[in-house]
Amino acid sequence: MDNAQPRSGSSVVDAEALAERVLIVDFGSQVTQLIARRVRESGVYCEIHPYHKVDAAFVANFAPKAIILSGGPASVTDETGPRTPAAILACGVPVLGICYGQQLMVEQLGGAVEKGRTREFGRALLEIVDDCPLFAGAFALSSREPVWMSHGDHVSILPAGFRSVAVSAGAPFAAIADDVRRLYGVQFHPEVVHTPRGAELLRNFTHRIAGCGGAWTMAAFREQAVGAIRERVGSGRVICGLSGGVDSSVTAVLLHEAIGEQLHCILVDTGLMRAGEAEEVVGLFSGHYNIPLVHRDAADAFLGALEGVTDPERKRKIIGATFIDVFEEEAHKLGGADFLAQGTLYPDVVESVSVHGGPSATIKSHHNVGGLPERMNLALIEPLRELFKDEVRALGRELGLPEALLGRHPFPGPGLAVRILGEVTAARCAILRHVDAIFLDEIRAAGLYDEIWQALAVLLPLHTVGVMGDSRTYDQVAALRAVTSTDGMTADSFAFDHAFLARVASRIVNEVHGVSRVVYDLTSKPPGTIEWE
Ligand code: XMP
Protein backbone atom coordinates (compact mmCIF):
# COMPACT_ATOMS: atom_id res chain seq x y z
CA MET A 1 0.00 0.00 0.00
CA ASP A 2 1.78 3.12 -1.23
CA ASN A 3 -0.10 5.31 1.16
CA ALA A 4 0.49 3.29 4.27
CA GLN A 5 3.85 4.36 5.62
CA PRO A 6 4.77 4.04 9.28
CA ARG A 7 4.63 7.27 11.22
CA SER A 8 6.13 8.36 14.46
CA GLY A 9 4.02 7.91 17.56
CA SER A 10 2.42 4.66 16.35
CA SER A 11 1.00 2.25 18.90
CA VAL A 12 2.82 -0.87 20.08
CA VAL A 13 0.57 -3.11 17.97
CA ASP A 14 1.32 -0.95 15.00
CA ALA A 15 5.07 -1.09 15.56
CA GLU A 16 5.02 -4.88 15.97
CA ALA A 17 2.84 -5.31 12.95
CA LEU A 18 5.04 -3.12 10.79
CA ALA A 19 8.20 -4.92 11.82
CA GLU A 20 6.79 -7.84 9.84
CA ARG A 21 6.68 -6.51 6.33
CA VAL A 22 6.32 -8.76 3.34
CA LEU A 23 7.51 -7.45 0.00
CA ILE A 24 5.54 -8.60 -3.03
CA VAL A 25 7.44 -8.09 -6.25
CA ASP A 26 5.05 -7.61 -9.15
CA PHE A 27 5.81 -9.04 -12.57
CA GLY A 28 2.44 -7.99 -14.02
CA SER A 29 0.04 -10.82 -13.10
CA GLN A 30 -3.68 -9.96 -13.13
CA VAL A 31 -3.94 -11.51 -9.66
CA THR A 32 -0.93 -10.01 -7.86
CA GLN A 33 -3.25 -8.02 -5.60
CA LEU A 34 -4.82 -11.26 -4.44
CA ILE A 35 -1.44 -12.28 -3.02
CA ALA A 36 -1.45 -9.06 -0.98
CA ARG A 37 -4.96 -9.70 0.13
CA ARG A 38 -4.18 -13.23 1.36
CA VAL A 39 -1.09 -11.97 3.19
CA ARG A 40 -3.15 -9.22 4.87
CA GLU A 41 -5.80 -11.80 5.77
CA SER A 42 -3.12 -13.72 7.64
CA GLY A 43 -2.38 -10.60 9.70
CA VAL A 44 0.82 -9.54 7.96
CA TYR A 45 1.47 -6.11 6.48
CA CYS A 46 2.67 -6.18 2.88
CA GLU A 47 3.36 -3.89 -0.04
CA ILE A 48 3.43 -4.58 -3.76
CA HIS A 49 6.24 -3.02 -5.79
CA PRO A 50 6.99 -3.43 -9.50
CA TYR A 51 10.10 -5.53 -10.18
CA HIS A 52 11.97 -2.69 -11.90
CA LYS A 53 11.80 -0.47 -8.81
CA VAL A 54 13.29 -3.12 -6.50
CA ASP A 55 17.07 -2.87 -6.11
CA ALA A 56 19.50 -3.66 -3.28
CA ALA A 57 19.00 -0.28 -1.57
CA PHE A 58 15.23 -0.68 -1.79
CA VAL A 59 15.32 -4.15 -0.23
CA ALA A 60 17.68 -3.01 2.54
CA ASN A 61 15.45 -0.05 3.34
CA PHE A 62 12.23 -2.06 3.19
CA ALA A 63 13.70 -4.78 5.40
CA PRO A 64 11.16 -7.49 4.52
CA LYS A 65 10.62 -10.58 6.65
CA ALA A 66 9.80 -12.42 3.45
CA ILE A 67 9.51 -11.78 -0.27
CA ILE A 68 6.96 -13.14 -2.75
CA LEU A 69 7.59 -13.02 -6.50
CA SER A 70 4.30 -12.77 -8.43
CA GLY A 71 3.33 -14.42 -11.68
CA GLY A 72 3.41 -12.47 -14.91
CA PRO A 73 2.54 -12.60 -18.60
CA ALA A 74 6.13 -12.82 -19.94
CA SER A 75 8.06 -16.01 -20.71
CA VAL A 76 11.31 -16.78 -18.92
CA THR A 77 12.55 -18.28 -22.19
CA ASP A 78 12.45 -14.76 -23.66
CA GLU A 79 15.77 -13.25 -22.62
CA THR A 80 14.41 -9.72 -22.76
CA GLY A 81 11.62 -10.42 -20.23
CA PRO A 82 11.67 -9.09 -16.64
CA ARG A 83 14.18 -10.67 -14.23
CA THR A 84 14.30 -10.88 -10.46
CA PRO A 85 16.48 -8.12 -9.03
CA ALA A 86 19.69 -9.87 -7.87
CA ALA A 87 19.38 -8.30 -4.41
CA ILE A 88 16.33 -10.42 -3.67
CA LEU A 89 17.78 -13.87 -4.00
CA ALA A 90 20.89 -12.79 -2.11
CA CYS A 91 19.29 -10.99 0.83
CA GLY A 92 18.83 -14.07 3.01
CA VAL A 93 15.09 -13.76 3.77
CA PRO A 94 12.64 -16.47 2.66
CA VAL A 95 11.44 -16.08 -0.94
CA LEU A 96 8.37 -17.68 -2.52
CA GLY A 97 8.15 -17.58 -6.31
CA ILE A 98 4.69 -18.06 -7.82
CA CYS A 99 4.35 -19.26 -11.44
CA TYR A 100 6.55 -16.87 -13.46
CA GLY A 101 8.20 -15.96 -10.14
CA GLN A 102 9.12 -19.61 -9.55
CA GLN A 103 10.49 -20.00 -13.07
CA LEU A 104 12.59 -16.85 -12.76
CA MET A 105 14.05 -17.98 -9.47
CA VAL A 106 14.97 -21.36 -10.96
CA GLU A 107 16.52 -19.89 -14.07
CA GLN A 108 18.50 -17.29 -12.19
CA LEU A 109 19.86 -19.86 -9.73
CA GLY A 110 21.18 -22.16 -12.47
CA GLY A 111 18.21 -24.43 -13.23
CA ALA A 112 16.22 -24.48 -16.48
CA VAL A 113 12.74 -23.63 -17.76
CA GLU A 114 11.29 -24.95 -20.99
CA LYS A 115 8.22 -24.33 -23.10
CA GLY A 116 5.66 -27.00 -22.25
CA ARG A 117 4.02 -29.24 -24.83
CA THR A 118 0.94 -29.29 -22.61
CA ARG A 119 -0.18 -25.97 -21.26
CA GLU A 120 -2.19 -25.98 -18.05
CA PHE A 121 -4.94 -23.39 -17.68
CA GLY A 122 -7.52 -23.72 -14.94
CA ARG A 123 -8.02 -26.55 -12.49
CA ALA A 124 -5.22 -29.10 -12.12
CA LEU A 125 -4.41 -31.81 -9.61
CA LEU A 126 -1.31 -31.44 -7.52
CA GLU A 127 0.30 -34.61 -6.19
CA ILE A 128 2.29 -34.10 -3.00
CA VAL A 129 5.52 -36.14 -3.30
CA ASP A 130 7.53 -34.91 -0.32
CA ASP A 131 7.03 -33.15 3.00
CA CYS A 132 7.41 -29.40 2.92
CA PRO A 133 6.75 -26.68 5.49
CA LEU A 134 4.62 -24.92 2.86
CA PHE A 135 2.14 -27.79 3.04
CA ALA A 136 1.97 -28.22 6.83
CA GLY A 137 -1.62 -28.74 7.96
CA ALA A 138 -2.89 -28.11 4.43
CA PHE A 139 -1.67 -30.76 1.98
CA ALA A 140 -0.86 -34.29 3.18
CA LEU A 141 1.90 -36.41 1.69
CA SER A 142 0.69 -38.49 -1.31
CA SER A 143 -2.62 -36.60 -1.46
CA ARG A 144 -3.94 -35.05 -4.66
CA GLU A 145 -5.04 -31.46 -4.21
CA PRO A 146 -6.98 -29.21 -6.60
CA VAL A 147 -5.02 -26.12 -7.57
CA TRP A 148 -5.37 -23.41 -10.21
CA MET A 149 -2.72 -23.27 -12.93
CA SER A 150 -2.12 -20.78 -15.69
CA HIS A 151 1.12 -21.49 -17.50
CA GLY A 152 2.71 -22.56 -20.77
CA ASP A 153 6.37 -22.86 -19.62
CA HIS A 154 7.52 -25.05 -16.76
CA VAL A 155 10.63 -25.77 -14.70
CA SER A 156 12.62 -28.64 -16.28
CA ILE A 157 15.87 -28.73 -14.25
CA LEU A 158 16.14 -27.73 -10.60
CA PRO A 159 19.02 -25.57 -9.39
CA ALA A 160 21.42 -27.13 -6.86
CA GLY A 161 19.97 -27.27 -3.36
CA PHE A 162 16.31 -27.62 -4.47
CA ARG A 163 14.06 -30.65 -4.23
CA SER A 164 10.70 -31.31 -5.85
CA VAL A 165 7.82 -31.53 -3.35
CA ALA A 166 4.81 -31.70 -5.68
CA VAL A 167 4.07 -32.58 -9.30
CA SER A 168 1.16 -32.10 -11.72
CA ALA A 169 0.37 -33.40 -15.20
CA GLY A 170 1.88 -30.35 -16.90
CA ALA A 171 4.54 -29.40 -14.34
CA PRO A 172 7.11 -31.98 -13.17
CA PHE A 173 8.24 -29.48 -10.54
CA ALA A 174 4.91 -27.99 -9.49
CA ALA A 175 6.29 -27.10 -6.04
CA ILE A 176 9.95 -26.92 -5.07
CA ALA A 177 11.90 -26.20 -1.91
CA ASP A 178 15.40 -25.27 -0.81
CA ASP A 179 15.01 -25.42 2.97
CA VAL A 180 18.55 -24.24 3.70
CA ARG A 181 18.25 -20.96 1.81
CA ARG A 182 14.48 -20.86 2.51
CA LEU A 183 13.63 -20.49 -1.17
CA TYR A 184 10.33 -21.96 -2.35
CA GLY A 185 8.48 -22.02 -5.64
CA VAL A 186 5.05 -23.07 -6.85
CA GLN A 187 3.86 -23.34 -10.42
CA PHE A 188 0.19 -22.98 -9.41
CA HIS A 189 -1.51 -19.90 -7.95
CA PRO A 190 -2.15 -20.28 -4.20
CA GLU A 191 -3.62 -16.75 -4.05
CA VAL A 192 -6.83 -17.48 -6.02
CA VAL A 193 -9.95 -19.00 -4.47
CA HIS A 194 -9.82 -21.77 -7.08
CA THR A 195 -6.87 -23.19 -5.13
CA PRO A 196 -9.06 -24.00 -2.12
CA ARG A 197 -6.23 -24.47 0.38
CA GLY A 198 -3.91 -21.90 -1.16
CA ALA A 199 -4.43 -19.35 1.61
CA GLU A 200 -3.09 -21.89 4.13
CA LEU A 201 -0.03 -22.41 1.98
CA LEU A 202 0.67 -18.67 1.90
CA ARG A 203 0.10 -18.48 5.62
CA ASN A 204 2.60 -21.30 6.12
CA PHE A 205 5.09 -19.30 4.11
CA THR A 206 4.67 -16.06 6.07
CA HIS A 207 4.16 -17.62 9.52
CA ARG A 208 6.02 -20.96 9.67
CA ILE A 209 8.81 -20.27 7.25
CA ALA A 210 9.33 -16.52 7.67
CA GLY A 211 8.27 -16.43 11.35
CA CYS A 212 5.69 -13.65 11.13
CA GLY A 213 3.36 -13.46 14.13
CA GLY A 214 0.32 -11.97 12.39
CA ALA A 215 -0.32 -8.86 14.51
CA TRP A 216 -1.42 -6.63 11.64
CA THR A 217 -5.13 -5.72 11.60
CA MET A 218 -7.51 -3.19 10.08
CA ALA A 219 -6.83 -1.05 13.17
CA ALA A 220 -3.22 -0.86 12.06
CA PHE A 221 -4.30 -0.02 8.51
CA ARG A 222 -6.46 2.78 9.87
CA GLU A 223 -3.55 4.26 11.82
CA GLN A 224 -1.18 3.97 8.89
CA ALA A 225 -3.68 5.44 6.46
CA VAL A 226 -4.50 8.36 8.76
CA GLY A 227 -0.80 9.09 9.18
CA ALA A 228 -0.15 8.88 5.45
CA ILE A 229 -3.09 11.18 4.65
CA ARG A 230 -1.87 13.79 7.16
CA GLU A 231 1.61 13.66 5.74
CA ARG A 232 0.45 13.96 2.14
CA VAL A 233 -2.18 16.66 2.68
CA GLY A 234 -0.21 18.85 5.09
CA SER A 235 -2.20 22.04 5.48
CA GLY A 236 -3.96 21.59 2.12
CA ARG A 237 -7.71 21.36 1.49
CA VAL A 238 -9.38 18.20 0.27
CA ILE A 239 -12.71 17.85 -1.41
CA CYS A 240 -14.41 14.48 -1.37
CA GLY A 241 -17.30 13.41 -3.54
CA LEU A 242 -19.82 11.47 -1.48
CA SER A 243 -22.17 9.15 -3.32
CA GLY A 244 -23.68 7.37 -0.34
CA GLY A 245 -21.94 4.16 -1.24
CA VAL A 246 -19.65 2.25 1.09
CA ASP A 247 -16.41 3.33 -0.59
CA SER A 248 -16.95 7.07 -0.61
CA SER A 249 -18.43 6.99 2.90
CA VAL A 250 -15.46 5.10 4.33
CA THR A 251 -13.08 7.43 2.47
CA ALA A 252 -14.83 10.50 3.89
CA VAL A 253 -14.88 9.25 7.48
CA LEU A 254 -11.23 8.19 7.28
CA LEU A 255 -10.23 11.58 5.86
CA HIS A 256 -12.29 13.38 8.44
CA GLU A 257 -10.44 11.50 11.16
CA ALA A 258 -7.13 12.45 9.54
CA ILE A 259 -7.65 16.09 8.61
CA GLY A 260 -10.91 17.27 10.24
CA GLU A 261 -12.04 20.60 8.88
CA GLN A 262 -9.63 20.55 5.97
CA LEU A 263 -12.10 18.09 4.42
CA HIS A 264 -15.06 19.37 2.40
CA CYS A 265 -17.60 16.77 1.32
CA ILE A 266 -19.74 17.32 -1.73
CA LEU A 267 -22.72 15.26 -2.73
CA VAL A 268 -23.08 15.69 -6.47
CA ASP A 269 -26.62 14.80 -7.47
CA THR A 270 -25.95 13.67 -11.02
CA GLY A 271 -29.55 12.89 -11.82
CA LEU A 272 -28.20 9.35 -12.28
CA MET A 273 -28.68 8.21 -8.70
CA ARG A 274 -31.15 5.71 -7.32
CA ALA A 275 -34.45 6.65 -5.69
CA GLY A 276 -34.01 8.43 -2.33
CA GLU A 277 -30.23 8.11 -2.37
CA ALA A 278 -29.26 11.79 -2.16
CA GLU A 279 -31.57 12.39 0.80
CA GLU A 280 -30.16 9.38 2.68
CA VAL A 281 -26.57 10.59 2.29
CA VAL A 282 -27.40 14.09 3.48
CA GLY A 283 -29.22 12.64 6.49
CA LEU A 284 -26.35 10.36 7.44
CA PHE A 285 -23.46 12.74 7.03
CA SER A 286 -24.84 16.07 8.16
CA GLY A 287 -27.18 14.56 10.73
CA HIS A 288 -25.18 11.67 12.17
CA TYR A 289 -21.50 12.43 11.62
CA ASN A 290 -21.63 16.16 11.73
CA ILE A 291 -19.42 16.24 8.64
CA PRO A 292 -20.46 19.34 6.67
CA LEU A 293 -21.80 18.45 3.27
CA VAL A 294 -22.56 20.57 0.22
CA HIS A 295 -25.50 19.15 -1.72
CA ARG A 296 -25.09 20.15 -5.35
CA ASP A 297 -27.84 19.46 -7.86
CA ALA A 298 -25.97 18.95 -11.14
CA ALA A 299 -28.49 16.79 -13.00
CA ASP A 300 -28.81 19.29 -15.85
CA ALA A 301 -25.06 19.39 -16.41
CA PHE A 302 -24.74 15.58 -16.52
CA LEU A 303 -27.83 14.88 -18.60
CA GLY A 304 -26.95 17.77 -20.93
CA ALA A 305 -23.45 16.42 -21.51
CA LEU A 306 -24.81 12.93 -22.15
CA GLU A 307 -27.40 14.03 -24.71
CA GLY A 308 -27.27 11.85 -27.81
CA VAL A 309 -24.39 9.71 -26.44
CA THR A 310 -24.80 5.93 -26.64
CA ASP A 311 -21.23 4.57 -26.56
CA PRO A 312 -20.43 3.13 -23.09
CA GLU A 313 -16.83 4.35 -22.93
CA ARG A 314 -17.82 7.84 -24.07
CA LYS A 315 -20.50 7.96 -21.41
CA ARG A 316 -17.94 7.05 -18.75
CA LYS A 317 -15.45 9.66 -19.96
CA ILE A 318 -18.11 12.39 -20.17
CA ILE A 319 -19.32 11.63 -16.67
CA GLY A 320 -15.74 11.68 -15.34
CA ALA A 321 -15.16 15.06 -16.99
CA THR A 322 -18.44 16.50 -15.70
CA PHE A 323 -17.63 15.38 -12.16
CA ILE A 324 -14.32 17.19 -12.37
CA ASP A 325 -16.01 20.35 -13.71
CA VAL A 326 -18.39 20.29 -10.77
CA PHE A 327 -15.65 19.57 -8.22
CA GLU A 328 -13.53 22.36 -9.63
CA GLU A 329 -16.43 24.80 -9.43
CA GLU A 330 -17.05 23.78 -5.83
CA ALA A 331 -13.33 24.06 -5.01
CA HIS A 332 -13.40 27.56 -6.48
CA LYS A 333 -16.35 28.49 -4.26
CA LEU A 334 -14.35 27.33 -1.24
CA GLY A 335 -11.50 29.61 -2.24
CA GLY A 336 -9.44 26.75 -3.67
CA ALA A 337 -8.66 23.11 -2.88
CA ASP A 338 -5.59 20.99 -3.44
CA PHE A 339 -6.85 17.41 -3.49
CA LEU A 340 -9.80 15.41 -4.69
CA ALA A 341 -10.45 12.31 -2.56
CA GLN A 342 -12.07 9.27 -4.13
CA GLY A 343 -13.09 5.86 -2.86
CA THR A 344 -11.42 3.98 -5.69
CA LEU A 345 -10.99 0.28 -4.96
CA TYR A 346 -8.62 -2.26 -6.36
CA PRO A 347 -11.07 -3.94 -8.78
CA ASP A 348 -11.80 -0.47 -10.24
CA VAL A 349 -8.09 0.04 -10.73
CA VAL A 350 -7.17 -3.31 -12.18
CA GLU A 351 -9.95 -3.19 -14.72
CA SER A 352 -9.09 0.35 -15.83
CA VAL A 353 -5.31 0.52 -15.73
CA SER A 354 -2.69 -1.68 -14.15
CA VAL A 355 -2.34 -0.78 -10.50
CA HIS A 356 1.39 -0.21 -10.75
CA GLY A 357 1.61 0.91 -14.34
CA GLY A 358 2.38 -2.57 -15.68
CA PRO A 359 0.68 -4.38 -18.53
CA SER A 360 -2.93 -5.33 -17.83
CA ALA A 361 -5.86 -4.99 -20.20
CA THR A 362 -8.42 -2.15 -19.91
CA ILE A 363 -11.89 -3.65 -19.57
CA LYS A 364 -13.80 -0.43 -18.89
CA SER A 365 -12.81 3.04 -17.75
CA HIS A 366 -14.13 3.29 -14.24
CA HIS A 367 -15.10 6.90 -13.91
CA ASN A 368 -13.02 7.46 -10.83
CA VAL A 369 -9.88 6.00 -12.35
CA GLY A 370 -9.34 5.82 -16.09
CA GLY A 371 -12.22 8.15 -16.90
CA LEU A 372 -10.68 11.24 -15.29
CA PRO A 373 -9.67 14.00 -17.65
CA GLU A 374 -5.98 14.84 -17.90
CA ARG A 375 -6.50 18.52 -17.22
CA MET A 376 -7.69 18.01 -13.64
CA ASN A 377 -6.26 20.71 -11.38
CA LEU A 378 -6.73 18.71 -8.20
CA ALA A 379 -4.30 16.02 -7.08
CA LEU A 380 -5.98 12.68 -6.41
CA ILE A 381 -6.02 11.04 -3.01
CA GLU A 382 -7.31 7.47 -2.93
CA PRO A 383 -6.71 5.81 0.45
CA LEU A 384 -8.61 2.61 -0.43
CA ARG A 385 -6.92 2.08 -3.77
CA GLU A 386 -5.42 -1.28 -2.93
CA LEU A 387 -8.27 -2.74 -0.90
CA PHE A 388 -11.07 -5.07 -1.90
CA LYS A 389 -14.68 -4.37 -1.06
CA ASP A 390 -14.89 -6.66 1.95
CA GLU A 391 -11.70 -5.12 3.33
CA VAL A 392 -13.27 -1.66 2.92
CA ARG A 393 -16.28 -2.91 4.84
CA ALA A 394 -13.99 -4.16 7.61
CA LEU A 395 -12.30 -0.75 7.70
CA GLY A 396 -15.70 0.95 7.84
CA ARG A 397 -16.61 -1.27 10.79
CA GLU A 398 -13.34 -0.28 12.43
CA LEU A 399 -14.33 3.37 11.91
CA GLY A 400 -17.74 2.75 13.45
CA LEU A 401 -19.92 3.19 10.36
CA PRO A 402 -23.41 1.67 10.67
CA GLU A 403 -23.92 -1.87 9.36
CA ALA A 404 -26.82 -0.75 7.19
CA LEU A 405 -24.47 1.49 5.25
CA LEU A 406 -21.59 -0.99 5.15
CA GLY A 407 -23.86 -3.72 3.85
CA ARG A 408 -25.13 -1.63 0.93
CA HIS A 409 -24.67 -3.11 -2.49
CA PRO A 410 -22.00 -1.40 -4.61
CA PHE A 411 -23.26 1.28 -6.97
CA PRO A 412 -21.00 2.49 -9.79
CA GLY A 413 -19.76 6.08 -9.94
CA PRO A 414 -21.38 6.72 -13.35
CA GLY A 415 -24.66 5.60 -11.78
CA LEU A 416 -27.70 4.69 -13.84
CA ALA A 417 -26.00 5.97 -17.02
CA VAL A 418 -24.14 2.68 -17.43
CA ARG A 419 -27.37 0.77 -16.82
CA ILE A 420 -29.34 2.69 -19.43
CA LEU A 421 -28.27 1.18 -22.72
CA GLY A 422 -28.59 3.67 -25.56
CA GLU A 423 -29.32 7.31 -24.86
CA VAL A 424 -29.56 8.53 -21.26
CA THR A 425 -32.50 10.88 -20.80
CA ALA A 426 -34.28 12.17 -17.72
CA ALA A 427 -37.36 10.16 -18.70
CA ARG A 428 -35.40 6.90 -19.07
CA CYS A 429 -33.63 7.58 -15.74
CA ALA A 430 -37.01 7.95 -14.05
CA ILE A 431 -38.20 4.65 -15.53
CA LEU A 432 -35.08 2.78 -14.46
CA ARG A 433 -35.13 4.34 -10.99
CA HIS A 434 -38.63 2.98 -10.52
CA VAL A 435 -37.75 -0.52 -11.82
CA ASP A 436 -34.67 -0.60 -9.57
CA ALA A 437 -36.68 0.46 -6.51
CA ILE A 438 -39.22 -2.32 -7.04
CA PHE A 439 -36.52 -4.96 -7.53
CA LEU A 440 -34.63 -3.91 -4.39
CA ASP A 441 -37.84 -3.57 -2.42
CA GLU A 442 -38.80 -7.17 -3.24
CA ILE A 443 -35.28 -8.42 -2.50
CA ARG A 444 -35.35 -6.77 0.92
CA ALA A 445 -38.86 -8.07 1.62
CA ALA A 446 -37.71 -11.60 0.80
CA GLY A 447 -34.76 -11.24 3.20
CA LEU A 448 -32.27 -11.79 0.38
CA TYR A 449 -30.46 -8.43 0.34
CA ASP A 450 -27.45 -9.55 2.37
CA GLU A 451 -27.01 -12.78 0.41
CA ILE A 452 -26.53 -10.82 -2.78
CA TRP A 453 -23.35 -8.91 -3.69
CA GLN A 454 -25.20 -6.58 -6.00
CA ALA A 455 -28.64 -6.36 -7.55
CA LEU A 456 -29.41 -4.01 -10.37
CA ALA A 457 -31.76 -3.25 -13.20
CA VAL A 458 -30.80 -2.33 -16.74
CA LEU A 459 -32.94 -0.55 -19.32
CA LEU A 460 -32.40 -1.98 -22.79
CA PRO A 461 -32.40 0.08 -25.98
CA LEU A 462 -35.28 -1.94 -27.40
CA HIS A 463 -39.02 -1.83 -27.68
CA THR A 464 -41.04 -5.02 -27.81
CA VAL A 465 -44.68 -5.71 -28.45
CA GLY A 466 -46.97 -6.61 -25.58
CA VAL A 467 -50.64 -6.68 -24.77
CA MET A 468 -52.25 -4.99 -21.78
CA GLY A 469 -55.97 -5.02 -21.29
CA ASP A 470 -57.17 -5.26 -24.84
CA SER A 471 -54.52 -2.98 -26.28
CA ARG A 472 -51.20 -3.44 -27.97
CA THR A 473 -48.17 -2.03 -26.15
CA TYR A 474 -44.79 -1.28 -27.63
CA ASP A 475 -42.53 -0.47 -24.69
CA GLN A 476 -39.04 -0.88 -23.32
CA VAL A 477 -37.39 -3.98 -21.82
CA ALA A 478 -35.83 -4.08 -18.37
CA ALA A 479 -33.17 -6.65 -17.49
CA LEU A 480 -32.64 -7.64 -13.88
CA ARG A 481 -29.26 -8.78 -12.63
CA ALA A 482 -28.20 -10.04 -9.23
CA VAL A 483 -24.85 -11.61 -8.50
CA THR A 484 -22.91 -13.24 -5.71
CA SER A 485 -19.23 -12.37 -5.41
CA THR A 486 -16.54 -11.92 -2.81
CA ASP A 487 -14.58 -9.15 -4.44
CA GLY A 488 -16.32 -8.05 -7.65
CA MET A 489 -13.54 -9.64 -9.73
CA THR A 490 -15.56 -12.77 -10.44
CA ALA A 491 -19.28 -13.25 -9.94
CA ASP A 492 -22.11 -15.74 -10.36
CA SER A 493 -25.68 -15.00 -11.24
CA PHE A 494 -27.88 -15.28 -8.12
CA ALA A 495 -30.33 -18.20 -8.21
CA PHE A 496 -33.71 -16.65 -7.30
CA ASP A 497 -36.63 -18.98 -7.29
CA HIS A 498 -38.89 -18.63 -10.25
CA ALA A 499 -41.89 -17.42 -8.25
CA PHE A 500 -39.85 -14.54 -6.88
CA LEU A 501 -38.74 -13.42 -10.34
CA ALA A 502 -42.26 -13.77 -11.69
CA ARG A 503 -43.58 -11.59 -8.87
CA VAL A 504 -40.99 -8.88 -9.49
CA ALA A 505 -41.60 -8.96 -13.25
CA SER A 506 -45.33 -8.65 -12.75
CA ARG A 507 -44.94 -5.70 -10.37
CA ILE A 508 -42.59 -3.92 -12.76
CA VAL A 509 -44.79 -4.30 -15.81
CA ASN A 510 -47.86 -3.25 -13.86
CA GLU A 511 -46.37 -0.35 -11.94
CA VAL A 512 -43.79 1.19 -14.27
CA HIS A 513 -45.14 3.02 -17.28
CA GLY A 514 -42.84 2.46 -20.24
CA VAL A 515 -41.68 -1.11 -19.48
CA SER A 516 -43.59 -4.03 -20.93
CA ARG A 517 -41.13 -6.90 -20.62
CA VAL A 518 -38.64 -8.09 -17.99
CA VAL A 519 -35.73 -10.51 -18.43
CA TYR A 520 -33.19 -11.96 -15.98
CA ASP A 521 -29.45 -12.04 -16.72
CA LEU A 522 -27.85 -15.45 -16.04
CA THR A 523 -24.31 -14.58 -17.13
CA SER A 524 -21.41 -15.05 -14.74
CA LYS A 525 -18.31 -12.82 -14.61
CA PRO A 526 -16.21 -13.67 -16.54
CA PRO A 527 -17.26 -13.74 -19.33
CA GLY A 528 -19.84 -11.02 -18.54
CA THR A 529 -19.03 -8.03 -16.36
CA ILE A 530 -21.38 -7.09 -13.51
CA GLU A 531 -22.56 -3.81 -15.05
CA TRP A 532 -23.73 -4.02 -18.63
CA GLU A 533 -21.63 -1.06 -19.83
P1 XMP B 1 -17.87 -4.68 -13.56
O1 XMP B 1 -19.05 -4.14 -14.29
O2 XMP B 1 -16.57 -4.11 -14.08
O3 XMP B 1 -18.00 -4.11 -12.08
O4 XMP B 1 -17.86 -6.15 -13.43
C1 XMP B 1 -17.25 -4.52 -10.97
C2 XMP B 1 -17.73 -3.70 -9.79
O5 XMP B 1 -17.34 -2.33 -9.98
C3 XMP B 1 -18.49 -1.50 -9.99
N1 XMP B 1 -18.24 -0.46 -11.00
C4 XMP B 1 -17.80 0.76 -10.70
N2 XMP B 1 -17.53 1.33 -9.52
N3 XMP B 1 -16.94 3.33 -10.64
C5 XMP B 1 -17.12 2.62 -9.50
O6 XMP B 1 -16.89 3.18 -8.43
C6 XMP B 1 -17.19 2.82 -11.86
O7 XMP B 1 -17.02 3.48 -12.88
C7 XMP B 1 -17.65 1.47 -11.89
N4 XMP B 1 -18.00 0.64 -12.90
C8 XMP B 1 -18.37 -0.55 -12.32
C9 XMP B 1 -19.63 -2.39 -10.36
O8 XMP B 1 -20.87 -1.86 -9.93
C10 XMP B 1 -19.24 -3.68 -9.65
O9 XMP B 1 -19.53 -3.63 -8.28
Side-chain angles (χ1 to χ4, degrees), residues 316 348 351 364-368 410-414 419 453-454 488 525 529-531:
R316 284 176 171 273
D348 305 339
E351 291 184 2
K364 45 179 90 162
S365 304
H366 283 206
H367 94 279
N368 41 4
F411 186 66
R419 297 178 178 174
W453 161 271
Q454 194 167 6
K525 172 184 179 175
T529 51
I530 295 176
E531 305 291 344

Side-chain angles (χ1 to χ4, degrees), residues 118-448:
T118 45
R119 305 192 308 166
E120 278 179 309
F121 287 101
R123 191 173 181 275
L125 276 182
L126 184 77
E127 190 184 339
I128 311 303
V129 297
D130 204 352
D131 273 330
C132 176
L134 279 180
F135 301 152
F139 299 166
L141 190 61
S142 306
S143 67
R144 291 166 78 84
E145 303 290 342
V147 295
W148 194 73
M149 294 270 194
S150 179
H151 69 112
D153 303 347
H154 63 246
V155 173
S156 55
I157 301 174
L158 288 184
F162 277 86
R163 65 199 168 94
S164 168
V165 292
V167 299
S168 75
F173 302 105
I176 58 173
D178 174 340
D179 301 295
V180 176
R181 287 184 288 178
R182 297 188 299 171
L183 303 177
Y184 297 87
V186 290
Q187 181 57 71
F188 55 94
H189 287 267
E191 67 275 31
V192 304
V193 288
H194 304 87
T195 298
R197 309 206 70 174
E200 290 166 75
L201 187 147
L202 285 168
R203 190 188 172 86
N204 280 338
F205 176 66
T206 53
H207 288 60
R208 278 177 194 268
I209 296 171
C212 295
W216 190 80
T217 57
M218 263 304 159
F221 178 89
R222 173 185 182 174
E223 283 204 39
Q224 290 156 11
V226 163
I229 293 166
R230 284 188 187 139
E231 200 173 306
R232 170 123 194 260
V233 171
S235 57
R237 270 200 200 135
V238 180
I239 57 176
C240 175
L242 262 180
S243 67
V246 180
D247 313 337
S248 66
S249 304
V250 171
T251 303
V253 174
L254 186 67
L255 278 157
H256 193 250
E257 177 166 308
I259 56 168
E261 290 178 0
Q262 288 162 260
L263 174 70
H264 301 269
C265 288
I266 301 167
L267 167 73
V268 181
D269 189 340
T270 54
L272 305 166
M273 295 172 82
R274 275 178 295 197
E277 214 159 24
E279 296 71 22
E280 268 180 54
V281 182
V282 174
L284 183 72
F285 277 84
S286 325
H288 189 76
Y289 281 106
N290 216 8
I291 298 180
L293 179 66
V294 172
H295 182 175
R296 167 81 189 267
D297 181 353
D300 289 347
F302 280 88
L303 291 173
L306 287 169
E307 207 177 305
V309 177
T310 55
D311 177 69
E313 279 297 285
R314 269 199 70 211
K315 282 184 190 170
R316 284 176 171 273
K317 297 256 158 76
I318 287 171
I319 292 168
T322 312
F323 262 112
I324 297 307
D325 289 344
V326 173
F327 286 136
E328 284 184 345
E329 281 164 29
E330 292 300 323
H332 187 69
K333 286 186 202 157
L334 287 172
D338 309 283
F339 296 92
L340 173 68
Q342 296 206 115
T344 313
L345 301 195
Y346 181 70
D348 305 339
V349 179
V350 77
E351 291 184 2
S352 288
V353 281
S354 164
V355 65
H356 291 294
S360 78
T362 297
I363 311 292
K364 45 179 90 162
S365 304
H366 283 206
H367 94 279
N368 41 4
V369 192
L372 289 181
E374 302 278 316
R375 59 169 176 77
M376 193 175 73
N377 289 328
L378 299 159
L380 263 188
I381 187 156
E382 298 177 309
L384 315 180
R385 193 177 167 88
E386 295 199 3
L387 299 185
F388 286 87
K389 194 80 175 188
D390 51 343
E391 293 180 304
V392 172
R393 291 194 167 118
L395 178 61
R397 225 160 265 135
E398 180 63 39
L399 289 163
L401 281 154
E403 279 306 317
L405 178 103
L406 295 175
R408 282 184 92 165
H409 291 176
F411 186 66
L416 299 180
V418 290
R419 297 178 178 174
I420 295 177
L421 278 50
E423 192 180 358
V424 182
T425 61
R428 296 190 79 208
C429 285
I431 291 177
L432 185 59
R433 209 172 276 127
H434 195 174
V435 172
D436 182 77
I438 293 172
F439 187 31
L440 287 175
D441 181 45
E442 288 291 334
I443 286 175
R444 285 202 181 90
L448 297 173

